[in-house]
């Protein structure tokens, strides 16, 4: 789709606003991104950012529990929220006639979510059940996004489990919630994005009407989460009673996407050369020719590309047959990386990967939900919402030599290796 013109303004309380009009369909997306995620959680409060995301759906000082759900769904809309390493987002997509309703709902919970003991205890139970479902009672649960950071990083901010420890979750108090809200959920620490079928001036007036009187609070100072890359190869083994086969995750550090976006994108293209499609190098060798791996992936970011500031991760994951040693799989991966480091991919090989990426991105941003969220996260993390429309061309501009240099930088002496070992039995 064509890149729409973006309109920006900032309210006196510090709320940054991005408007992206597109009249191609009578729908509108509204998202709020708060500059707080897993990495901002205090020690002893693992999983708190995600827990607080749940609490933001439990009513406000002016709306009862479940009112947000009811108002959006009765308008024919959808909604959700998600927690990431560096931000938490909330969104709804509705018919454009319901725009003001969505703005009211987001402003209402930005002003004063209902933080009560009942709501807190209820949502702790919900989050614990989510962890049981998605991690504890699932084969390869938490692989690699929960397990790999603890091997690749050393600081609490980067290494801890963002889903949360049950003891930490159960010890959370209403006072902890109030402090977290006061610190991180200020208008100055958020970006409001409205995309779709909207009139710019009318939408601006509605934003000012609903968000203008949300009390201003200081924007928290975001600390640097930087830490050195591993000095040497770090290995860790994790037992999984539900996993039918062994698995490997290899983690490396990548360039800071904020200060070196093009350097970062070279690793994204490298991931495609390695594992994207049946003709990719690792798929061809490990799956089709040698038959030692049954599932294989590579990529930037444990949640996906451009989901976090520095430090971010390049990972290669593989599930392999029990008869094959993990070192055999790792050796084959290292050989393919060495080949790329010594001889760049062909222009034709690169063009296939970049064309696939461009097609995927255009398709994603054609969906209003993805576009709204993409604009908001790019504005928050990089200060440039329009980056999402530039990415296909910037990826297409990555050269074969840049991909080769990225492969050369993935060194065995600065990486983390996580081994998942099936232990049998039941948890």
């Amino acid at each position: 789709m064509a890149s729409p013109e973006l309109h920006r303004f900032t309210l006196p309380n510090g709320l940054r606003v991005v408007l992206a009009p597109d009249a191609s369909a009578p729908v509108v997306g509204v998202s709020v991104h708060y500059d707080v995620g897993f990495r901002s959680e205090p020690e002893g409060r693992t999983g708190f950012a995600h827990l607080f995301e749940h609490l933001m759906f439990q009513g406000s000082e002016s709306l009862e529990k479940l009112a947000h759900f009811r108002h959006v769904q009765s308008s024919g809309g959808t909604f959700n929220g998600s927690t990431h390493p560096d931000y938490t987002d909330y969104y709804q997509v509705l018919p454009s006639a319901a725009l003001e309703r969505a703005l009211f709902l987001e402003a209402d919970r930005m002003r004063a979510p209902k933080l009560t003991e009942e709501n807190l205890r209820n949502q702790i139970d919900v989050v614990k059940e989510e962890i049981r479902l998605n991690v504890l009672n699932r084969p390869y649960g938490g692989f690699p996004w929960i397990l790999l950071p603890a091997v690749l990083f050393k600081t609490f901010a980067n290494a801890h489990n963002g889903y949360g420890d049950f003891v930490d979750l159960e010890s959370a108090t209403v006072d902890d919630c109030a402090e977290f809200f006061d610190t991180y959920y200020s208008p100055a620490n958020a970006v409001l994005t409205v995309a779709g079928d909207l009139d710019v001036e009318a939408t601006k007036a509605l934003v000012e009407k609903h968000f203008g009187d949300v009390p201003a609070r200081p924007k928290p100072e975001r600390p640097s989460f930087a830490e050195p890359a591993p000095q040497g190869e770090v290995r860790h083994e994790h037992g999984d009673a539900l996993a039918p086969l062994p698995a490997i995750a290899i983690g490396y550090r990548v360039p800071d996407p904020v200060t070196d976006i093009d350097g970062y994108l070279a690793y994204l293209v490298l991931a495609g050369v390695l594992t994207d499609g049946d003709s990719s190098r690792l798929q061809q060798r490990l799956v089709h020719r040698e038959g030692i791996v049954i599932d294989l992936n590579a990529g930037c970011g444990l949640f996906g590309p451009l989901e976090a500031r520095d430090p971010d991760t390049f990972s290669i994951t593989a599930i392999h047959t029990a008869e094959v040693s993990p070192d055999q799989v790792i050796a084959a991966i290292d050989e393919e990386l060495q080949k790329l480091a010594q001889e760049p991919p062909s222009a034709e090989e690169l063009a296939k990967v970049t064309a696939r990426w461009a097609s995927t991105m255009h398709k994603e941003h054609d969906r209003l939900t993805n576009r709204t969220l993409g604009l908001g996260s790019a504005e928050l993390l990089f200060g440039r919402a329009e980056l999402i429309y530039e990415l296909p061309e910037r990826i297409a501009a990555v050269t074969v030599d840049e991909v080769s240099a990225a492969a050369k930088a993935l060194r065995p002496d600065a990486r983390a290796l996580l081994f998942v070992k099936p232990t049998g039995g039941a948890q």
Side-chain angles (χ1 to χ4, degrees), residues 280-350:
S280 62
R281 296 199 175 198
L282 292 181
Q283 292 279 1
Q284 274 290 310
R285 176 173 176 176
L286 299 182
V287 178
H288 299 294
R289 290 204 306 270
E290 298 181 5
I292 61 175
V293 165
I294 63 168
D295 185 74
L296 188 65
N297 287 287
C300 292
L302 295 170
F303 280 70
L306 301 173
E307 288 274 318
R309 304 179 179 99
D310 186 61
D312 203 0
T313 303
F314 182 95
S315 64
I316 302 173
T317 61
I319 297 175
H320 61 90
T321 57
E323 298 76 21
V324 173
S325 75
D327 284 330
Q328 182 181 343
V329 178
I330 294 166
I333 291 171
D334 285 344
E335 285 179 16
E336 293 303 318
L337 287 172
Q338 185 63 27
K339 288 178 185 177
L340 278 168
Q342 293 173 347
E343 183 176 346
S346 68
E348 180 183 8
E349 184 179 10
L350 190 67

Side-chain angles (χ1 to χ4, degrees), residues 39 85-87 153 252-272 298-315 357 361 381-382 387 391 394-399 402-403 405-407 409-410:
R39 291 207 275 218
D86 285 336
Y87 66 87
F153 300 108
Y252 307 87
R253 295 278 295 276
V254 290
D256 182 354
V258 176
T259 60
D260 186 12
I261 182 66
D262 293 316
Y264 182 97
L265 293 178
Y267 288 80
L268 197 60
V269 175
L270 170 62
C300 292
L302 295 170
F303 280 70
L306 301 173
E307 288 274 318
R309 304 179 179 99
D310 186 61
D312 203 0
T313 303
F314 182 95
S315 64
W357 265 112
M361 288 181 169
L381 297 176
F382 310 110
L387 176 64
L391 284 173
R394 294 183 86 141
I395 286 177
V398 172
T399 68
E402 288 169 338
V403 173
L410 300 182

Side-chain angles (χ1 to χ4, degrees), residues 78-340:
T78 60
F79 63 93
N80 212 333
S82 58
T83 311
H84 302 255
D86 285 336
Y87 66 87
T88 306
D89 63 45
Y90 304 86
Y91 76 88
Q92 38 269 302
V93 175
L94 318 92
S96 49
L99 171 59
E100 184 168 9
R101 177 171 290 191
L103 294 173
F104 163 76
L105 291 170
E106 286 296 352
D108 188 59
R109 62 179 169 185
M110 179 185 284
R111 187 178 293 105
K114 203 160 193 68
L115 305 177
T116 67
E117 184 69 21
E118 178 190 358
N119 283 344
L120 176 60
R121 293 302 134 194
N122 175 271
Q123 292 309 302
I124 288 173
D125 289 341
V126 170
V127 170
K128 287 169 62 178
E129 187 58 30
E130 189 176 329
I131 293 170
R132 291 188 187 98
L133 179 66
N134 294 330
V135 179
L136 300 179
N137 297 328
R138 173 177 292 187
Y140 311 106
F143 176 79
W145 75 272
I146 289 177
L147 302 172
L148 184 59
V151 190
L152 182 61
F153 300 108
K154 293 183 177 180
T155 64
F156 172 80
N158 296 320
H160 78 275
N161 172 6
Y163 232 151
D165 174 84
F166 278 16
V167 173
D168 288 351
L169 289 168
E170 289 166 353
S171 63
T173 67
V174 173
D175 286 343
D176 292 332
C177 297
E179 181 180 359
F180 193 83
F181 174 76
D182 288 341
T183 302
Y184 295 109
Y185 275 66
S186 68
N189 204 42
V191 171
L192 167 67
T193 306
V194 187
D197 184 25
L198 61 92
D199 176 271
V200 171
E201 290 306 315
T203 303
K204 184 175 180 180
L206 289 174
V207 169
E208 291 170 343
K209 172 184 174 182
H210 291 286
F211 288 88
D213 65 349
V214 177
R217 299 193 303 280
K219 180 179 181 179
E221 182 177 347
R222 184 184 184 276
S224 170
F225 295 131
E227 65 171 278
Q231 299 299 305
E233 185 179 81
V234 185
R235 292 184 170 222
H236 177 74
E237 186 173 305
H238 172 77
D240 187 333
L242 300 177
L245 293 171
I248 303 166
I250 311 174
Y252 307 87
R253 295 278 295 276
V254 290
D256 182 354
V258 176
T259 60
D260 186 12
I261 182 66
D262 293 316
Y264 182 97
L265 293 178
Y267 288 80
L268 197 60
V269 175
L270 170 62
V273 171
L274 291 173
T275 66
D276 192 3
D278 285 342
S279 63
S280 62
R281 296 199 175 198
L282 292 181
Q283 292 279 1
Q284 274 290 310
R285 176 173 176 176
L286 299 182
V287 178
H288 299 294
R289 290 204 306 270
E290 298 181 5
I292 61 175
V293 165
I294 63 168
D295 185 74
L296 188 65
N297 287 287
C300 292
L302 295 170
F303 280 70
L306 301 173
E307 288 274 318
R309 304 179 179 99
D310 186 61
D312 203 0
T313 303
F314 182 95
S315 64
I316 302 173
T317 61
I319 297 175
H320 61 90
T321 57
E323 298 76 21
V324 173
S325 75
D327 284 330
Q328 182 181 343
V329 178
I330 294 166
I333 291 171
D334 285 344
E335 285 179 16
E336 293 303 318
L337 287 172
Q338 185 63 27
K339 288 178 185 177
L340 278 168

